[in-house]
Structure formats: structure tokens, C-alpha cells
Amino acid sequence: MPEMLVEMDQEDVDIPSRRVLITGATGLLGRAVFKEFNQNNWNAVGCGYRRAQPKFEQINLLDSVAVHEIIRDFQPHVIVHCAAERRPDVVESQPDAASQLNVAASGNLAKEAAGIGAFLIYISTDYVFDGTNPPYKETDIPNPLNLYGKTKLEGEKAVLENNDGAAVLRIPVLYGEVERLEESAVTVMFDKVQFSNKSANMDHWQQRFPTNVKDVATVCRQLAEKRMLDPSVKGTFHWSGNEQMTKYEMACAIADAFNLPSSHLRPITDCPVMGALRPRNAQLDCSKLEMLGIGQRTPFRAGIKESLWPFLVDKRWRQTVFH
């Protein structure tokens, strides 16, 4: 009989006591955040909506009753709010829906988090800045050029007004292990890179800092773990990759990583005229997190190879690598 009790105690030890809720867990960033916490002794629950799988809870973040209930039932110590409408052109064409998700739902989540004393990390963007005077510190005055940047900035304000212990984490353009190439503005270029029989125009005006979702996920976990020990960890933070590249330069780096030609890629140095306005260079200064000992940076070439090799059309390359 005593042996039975020992075994039951062992079972209990294996369930992590720290609980984290991740919104947008079916998205590119959310999947990485879920995985990072899950693999580092956190009890992670993910919510999704359109793409919700058995693995994740299906929650409409605009349904405040549903949000209240999952938070009340799970009692998370940390909430990472990844869910957003992140496509600038979609925000411009559907401003009300985008504002509901990016602003109203974020403010409500902040209120609910405050109600149970949970630490909320709200994911924001470098697009809160106009890109005329980089690099940008957390204390610099935002001036978003497009409606996406405006809604995310309003979301930041809604979060901090409803929850003074929350954190805002601003990040730039993301890439990682995508389910479809369209999931990231970086990986979506891969087809243009691969089909070298057709010349492709690539933006060579906007300065970007492609950032791996695994690195952002690590930053979220490190920030959460630091906060569990130190309640002064709150407010606004910046994280970013440190390799400055235009889309043209990213495309060339992708071509190089897979030994593909890049002579068909054409750099376009003019300011883009189509779609939502974009900041020229909204480089984020990340020294605040670095001073806390928080951060991780995967080199672009290594990260992009890991993300894109399943989408490589040329089967000969796979054979040279794996045989």
C-alpha cells in the first residue's frame, strides 16, 4: 500500500504548477510561444479561433463571457496575447473588425488578467513608429503611419490603462516554421526566389529586421519567469533580430542559403505606392531587455533554412542534404 502513495505523489510532481494562457496559439507566433512554455515546465493552454485544433481551446476573444470563463477556470499566472489582425492591408479594408480584435479584446483581456492577478504580455509592433528616426527606445514617442500601427498602439494603451502591471512587447517582422508560406511576410517570398525563370521585383527601400518566432517565444518565457520573481518587471519592452535587411536582401539571403540563383531578383529602391503606408526604418533598440539578461537571436540564414526547407521544390537539393 505505501508504494501506491509514492507513485501518486510522483504523478503530481509531473504537472507543472505554473500556468500560462496563450491567445492566437494557432498562429505563427502563438504556436512557437505555446511550444516554448510547454517544453520548459509550464502548464500551457492555447486558444485559437479560425484555425483551432483539438490541441487548443476555441475562444472568440470578442466574446467577453467566454474569455471570463476560460480565465476563471484555468487561473493562469501569465497570459501571452498573440492574437491580432496583423495584415496592414486587411486592417485598412476592415477597420472596425480590426479595432475590435486589436483594441477592444486587448483591453478586456487586460481587465480580466488584473482581476485574477495574472501577468499579461501584449504583443505589439515596430509599426507604432514612423521610421524616420531609428533606433527607437521604449520611451520614444510613437507615431504610427498606418491603421494597423494605430490599432496596435491603441491596444497598448487599452492594456496599460486596464492593467498597470502588464507588459507590452514590441517586435518587428516575424518568420519561422510556417504551415503555409503566406503566414509570414518573409517566407512568402520563397516562391519568387525559387522560380528563377521569371524576374521578380523586390522592395529595396524599407529596412526590416526579420525576427525568428522561436526567439520571441524565448523572450516571452524569460520575461514571464523574471516577473514571477520580481513584480517590477512591467511596462514596455522591445525585441528584434539584429540583421538589417530589405525584402530584396532577404530574398538574396534565402537564395544563397539554398544555393539558388538570385540574378532574376530586381531591387526596387522607390518608396512603395500601393497599400498601407509603411515606416522606412523602425529599428527597435533592445537594450532594456538585454540589460535584464533576456534575449535570444537565431542568425537569419540558419533560421530561414530551418523554416523553408520543406517548401523547396528542387528535390535534388534534399537528396544532397539527407543522403
Side-chain angles (χ1 to χ4, degrees), residues 159-218:
V159 163
L160 296 172
E161 279 165 17
N162 285 291
N163 186 331
D164 59 0
V168 167
L169 179 62
R170 295 182 184 139
I171 53 176
V173 66
L174 300 176
Y175 74 93
E177 292 177 22
V178 292
E179 290 175 349
R180 305 178 320 280
L181 290 174
E182 309 81 66
E183 232 182 346
S184 154
V186 179
T187 60
V188 76
M189 301 188 283
F190 196 32
D191 283 339
K192 280 186 173 178
V193 171
Q194 289 195 78
F195 301 124
S196 51
N197 53 340
K198 191 175 186 296
S199 75
N201 292 343
M202 308 301 274
D203 177 71
H204 193 45
W205 174 81
Q206 192 184 10
Q207 304 298 316
R208 308 301 300 262
F209 292 82
T211 300
N212 195 312
V213 289
K214 285 185 179 175
D215 298 340
V216 178
T218 298

Side-chain angles (χ1 to χ4, degrees), residues 21 36 45 51 74 105 111 117 126 129 133 139 193 284 299 304:
L21 182 71
E36 173 66 19
V45 166
R51 294 173 282 191
F74 184 53
K111 209 173 283 185
D126 58 341
F129 297 112
N133 191 26
T139 47
V193 171
L284 299 172
I304 208 65

Side-chain angles (χ1 to χ4, degrees), residues 64-111:
S64 55
V65 174
V67 169
H68 178 79
E69 284 177 352
I70 193 168
I71 289 174
R72 184 198 59 197
D73 293 347
F74 184 53
Q75 293 280 315
H77 302 94
V78 175
I79 302 173
V80 187
H81 181 31
C82 300
E85 180 47 73
R86 60 156 197 86
R87 297 163 295 183
D89 296 333
V90 174
V91 179
E92 302 280 342
S93 63
Q94 303 174 24
D96 294 340
S99 177
Q100 283 288 302
L101 183 56
N102 291 356
V103 186
S106 303
N108 180 52
L109 209 50
K111 209 173 283 185

Side-chain angles (χ1 to χ4, degrees), residues 139-151:
T139 47
D140 289 330
I141 311 297
N143 181 34
L145 296 182
N146 59 42
L147 199 56
Y148 166 66
K150 288 188 179 83
T151 63

